[in-house]
Amino acid sequence: MMKGRAVTAFEQRVYDQVSLVPVGRVTTYAEMSKALDCHSAQAIGQALKRNPFAPEVPCHRVIRADHSIGGYAGQTGGEKLELKLSLLKSEGVEFNSVGKLVLPEKLFLFGARD
DNA sequence: ATGATGATTGGGG
DNA sequence: CCCCAATCATCAT
């Protein structure tokens, strides 16, 4: 039988990290790259786009550093993005007409205490 | 092993 | 808005 592709150590660390983001909060690719001591936010996106545990692992709670929505399920536009938006909205996180996070204080910074 | 790709980012025009 | 360089894990050859 077909065995799915193995989750790499790096991906596992990314998933563990994003799992720390609470419901109703979001973080950024850049913030995660710092927390994981990786110097490439894009590498974080690479791992998240291949997340085999979505939405168990909340990869939809990761947005861009400029507070815009970012991508989802391998897409940067289209229906999947709509899904990401509705998932976040159902958790109380919203974006304005310019596509930016309405309440920046909802950003979750690793290592910061509330 | 080498080259290309990408859910990014910060800088510049 | 668009373009570019830097960065790096993963994928295709």
Side-chain angles (χ1 to χ4, degrees):
Chain A
M1 41 181 284
M2 299 291 293
K3 287 196 299 193
R5 178 184 135 283
V7 171
T8 68
F10 177 72
E11 290 169 340
Q12 190 60 67
R13 267 185 295 153
V14 171
Y15 304 149
D16 286 347
Q17 194 69 35
V18 74
S19 295
L20 298 178
V21 181
V23 174
R25 306 295 299 278
V26 285
T27 190
T28 68
Y29 299 99
E31 179 55 31
M32 288 193 69
S33 65
K34 287 188 221 167
L36 294 176
D37 192 36
C38 168
H39 282 255
S40 174
Q42 189 153 49
I44 300 294
Q46 280 284 13
L48 291 177
K49 92 173 186 187
R50 296 194 287 270
N51 174 15
F53 310 113
E56 308 276 306
V57 169
C59 53
H60 57 277
R61 296 185 193 142
V62 188
I63 65 179
R64 297 180 49 137
D66 65 354
H67 296 182
S68 56
I69 191 60
Y72 192 62
Q75 303 183 190
T76 53
E79 293 183 27
K80 297 302 184 179
L81 262 297
E82 292 299 299
L83 175 58
K84 178 173 182 177
L85 284 169
S86 69
L87 275 173
L88 288 174
K89 176 160 188 179
S90 72
E91 296 183 350
V93 179
E94 303 179 58
F95 291 79
N96 61 33
S97 55
V98 198
K100 300 294 187 59
L101 181 62
V102 175
L103 302 172
E105 58 266 41
K106 295 213 174 217
L107 270 178
F108 179 78
L109 291 308
F110 299 100
R113 46 185 200 60
D114 272 42

